[in-house]
Amino acid sequence: MRIRQFREDHWDRLPTIRIQKAVLDNFKSVEHGEIVFACGKKYVPYGTEADILGLYGQNGSGKTSFIEALAILKLLMMGVEVPGVYAECVAKGQDKSRLEFTFDLQYPDGRIRKAVYEFALSAVETEQSGGFGQYGADDASSSQHSKYRVKISDEKLSMSGDFDGRKIIMQPIIDTSGDERPFGPVSKQKFFVAGDKKSLDELNIVRRLAEEKSTSFVFSLGASKVFDDCGLYSEFYQVVLELAYYSQLYLHVVDTKSTGYIRLNYGLPLYTQSGRYLLKTDMPNIMPDLVFSELKSQFDNINIVLSQIVPGLNVDMHELSPTMMKDGSMGHVVEIVSSRNESDMSNEHNADAAPDGRLLMPFRYESDGIRKIVSVLSLIIDAYNEQSCTIAIDELDAGVFEYLLGEVLQTFQESGKGQFIFTSHNLRPLEVINKDFICFTTTNPENRYIRMKGIGNTNNLRSTYFREILVGEQDEELYRNTKKYKVVSAFRKAGIDNGETT
């Protein structure tokens, strides 16, 4: 997808954008859930304070649901198709899910705007109902084999703040929830197409195509082209472009559907600002010179941090030989390797030693935790240094040593600049990061996300969380307790039912 272009004089005036609030309705196990980020509770001059959200709770209580909602948001704002597998996110027995996200935009000249993007997601049965849908950016046909496709409807983009030298209250700017075609309110259409009938007819077609192709109308390339052709450049359209640009370069979502490649040993999904690369670890990779240069630079940056958090460890692309690509351009055959600078290593009998004497080892032999860290470290580096960068990582702790996890998050809290969203089962972060950065899931599907009340600055949130599980003093239940004797009985009964004797 092309990056939407701004006017030349706007590139040095791009705002810092952050997610301030998210609302989920009838989305998987979440009947209703609302999360207000720390940056949404007070004015924060971005660049001086990081914003972290750690989401905790028992299995199946809505943690992954929140990350998947963000994944759908990114796809829509990029103007690309939402894969059919996300049709399964509509809660059972419901016609549609509703998602709402509030963004805060702060400009270099001090102006502040807010934008609220909301939409409905429903599942539409396809004619090809004989297969199973499989997620994966590397499988471009995955949606075609799903029994259902996603339909996006009832889109509404509202804005408030400083526009054209005056302040406006929150109001809909683009709204497809009514019958007005191509969008309402009609009074706002003049800011995009100036009432041009031909353009309005074209937008009607774009809207119908967006519904059929599982894309957003608001952020579609088709709508963008019509707006561009009209030659108008209102400040309302500017915000649409800024949000699209943010989703393309600064919003990154890593869900378990993609990190599953690590556990299944399919390869190393390397996340960078320009996208995800799935590198093979069980065989050599063939890549063009341009990709090789970009990934080489990424690994150089990753190793600066990696060698500090895992002392002595480096990961790199070991070039086996140059090659010629099909188009006649220069290419490279590389193997992903790791090396450690340890005194007890000797390379006398090792043909694959680096020039500096470090022992090279195929990266596939590294633990899941190391592979997870390497996979997402480039994004964490970007969010640490870039105030507009938002990263969301599901199961951040998977295979990662808990002390190391705490060190990374504490460092980000103390001097990071961006927005860091994660889910975890490991409770170490509860001891090292600010309580305002932690949110918990509940057993109540009508109120899935809460922050614990009555927590003082001296309280150990980890201990308090365990106590809450046992005592239950919050307004909502955080954990549905299991009875040990019932678990024992269930194991015994299962054995008997399978023909075992006790």
Side-chain angles (χ1 to χ4, degrees), residues 12-23:
D12 60 348
R13 295 185 288 113
L14 293 176
T16 293
I17 300 178
R18 284 191 181 173
I19 302 172
Q20 269 198 348
K21 180 181 176 182
V23 179

Side-chain angles (χ1 to χ4, degrees), residues 423-440:
T423 72
S424 175
H425 294 99
N426 189 297
L427 302 182
R428 169 66 176 165
L430 301 187
E431 298 178 319
V432 298
I433 63 176
N434 192 302
K435 61 183 177 60
D436 291 334
F437 291 153
I438 301 296
C439 191
F440 297 93

Side-chain angles (χ1 to χ4, degrees), residues 300-315 339 341 358 377:
D300 287 345
N301 289 333
I302 287 171
N303 285 327
I304 293 173
V305 178
L306 183 64
S307 62
Q308 298 303 313
I309 61 178
V310 184
L313 176 64
N314 273 233
V315 178
S339 62
N341 187 18
R358 297 166 65 93
L377 192 52

Side-chain angles (χ1 to χ4, degrees), residues 23-33 62 64-72 86-92 94 96-99 101 119 121 445 448-449:
V23 179
L24 282 63
D25 289 317
N26 298 322
F27 190 82
K28 296 184 73 173
S29 65
V30 183
E31 289 185 29
H32 177 76
T64 293
S65 299
F66 184 69
I67 301 298
E68 291 184 341
L70 292 172
I72 293 172
Y86 286 112
E88 300 172 1
C89 292
V90 180
K92 299 297 182 184
Q94 298 295 326
K96 60 181 67 175
S97 302
R98 176 185 169 274
L99 301 177
F101 299 91
F119 58 90
L121 180 150
R448 272 297 185 198
Y449 309 113

Side-chain angles (χ1 to χ4, degrees), residues 96-165:
K96 60 181 67 175
S97 302
R98 176 185 169 274
L99 301 177
E100 176 187 310
F101 299 91
T102 300
F103 299 91
D104 180 79
L105 298 86
Q106 295 187 17
Y107 294 80
D109 61 5
R111 288 178 301 156
I112 298 176
R113 294 171 179 163
K114 290 192 185 301
V116 179
Y117 177 50
E118 51 190 298
F119 58 90
L121 180 150
S122 54
V124 178
E125 192 165 4
T126 64
E127 295 180 359
Q128 300 176 354
S129 58
F132 294 95
Q134 181 178 355
Y135 174 84
D138 303 290
D139 180 8
S141 64
S142 60
S143 294
Q144 299 176 5
H145 301 294
S146 176
K147 183 177 180 180
Y148 295 95
R149 68 172 178 85
V150 169
K151 177 182 176 182
I152 303 299
S153 61
D154 299 338
E155 287 183 275
K156 183 186 293 186
L157 182 63
S158 303
M159 302 180 194
S160 68
D162 299 299
F163 287 87
D164 295 320

